[in-house]
Amino acid sequence: MHEEATTDLPTQTGAVPCRTGTDGQVEVLLVTGKGSRRWIIPKGWPMPGMTLAEAAAQEAFEEAGVRGSVEPQPLGNFRHEKNIGPADIEVRIVVHAMRVEQELADYPEARSRERRWFSVAEAVEAVGSAKLGRLIGQFAERLRT
């Protein structure tokens, strides 16, 4: 695992939902942020009674409408500036790999977010975070082998 040093930052958990496309290439599902409309991975705060991996799976369902297997061991983590009300705060997002097994047409945040499948290279560019891009690339490489 490529873990940054443990910090005192608030922690969120996220999933990198992937599948193998019809052409045999790995694809990554991204969603738009509610406020920013930038492409991001599904992510959110830890949930009572759930591991970070389980909470990441729940966020992937709520924000992207996908279900699948989430690896319990994180791919790694990255820092992210999150806008909360009038201020920005820095958070650490622990990222878990997710193999998508089901994509739903109706899900809790379907009307407030856009979702789209990207090639790995497109996803790395779209997320705008070099660290997250590296995590996506590493996971995709594992899926290819």
Side-chain angles (χ1 to χ4, degrees):
M1 176 172 62
H2 299 81
E3 195 76 24
E4 291 179 4
T6 303
T7 67
D8 293 335
L9 296 175
T11 297
Q12 287 196 309
T13 185
V16 176
C18 290
R19 71 178 183 191
T20 302
T22 55
D23 61 358
Q25 297 298 308
V26 175
E27 297 176 333
V28 179
L29 185 66
L30 299 177
V31 298
T32 54
K34 280 185 174 179
S36 70
R37 307 306 293 171
R38 290 181 309 209
W39 291 106
I40 60 172
I41 61 171
K43 60 182 175 47
W45 300 106
M47 299 176 192
M50 290 186 175
T51 65
L52 288 178
E54 291 166 341
Q58 182 64 30
E59 292 295 339
F61 163 69
E62 291 175 9
E63 295 183 4
V66 291
R67 296 205 184 272
S69 57
V70 176
E71 295 181 6
Q73 186 70 22
L75 290 169
N77 67 80
F78 69 101
R79 292 172 181 244
H80 173 71
E81 289 285 325
K82 182 169 187 67
N83 183 273
I84 298 181
D88 288 344
I89 64 165
E90 189 175 27
V91 297
R92 180 177 68 109
I93 300 175
V94 177
V95 180
H96 292 267
M98 177 183 200
R99 287 182 175 81
V100 173
E101 295 157 5
Q102 182 181 25
E103 187 175 353
L104 306 166
D106 188 33
Y107 52 99
E109 297 187 19
R111 287 156 206 70
S112 58
R113 296 182 188 271
E114 185 180 342
R115 70 177 176 186
R116 189 167 82 193
W117 289 100
F118 290 82
S119 70
V120 172
E122 291 169 335
V124 167
E125 276 296 309
V127 295
S129 162
K131 177 71 175 182
L132 177 56
R134 283 192 299 278
L135 295 175
I136 290 170
Q138 289 166 0
F139 177 44
E141 189 57 38
R142 279 201 348 237
L143 288 177
R144 287 187 197 106
T145 58

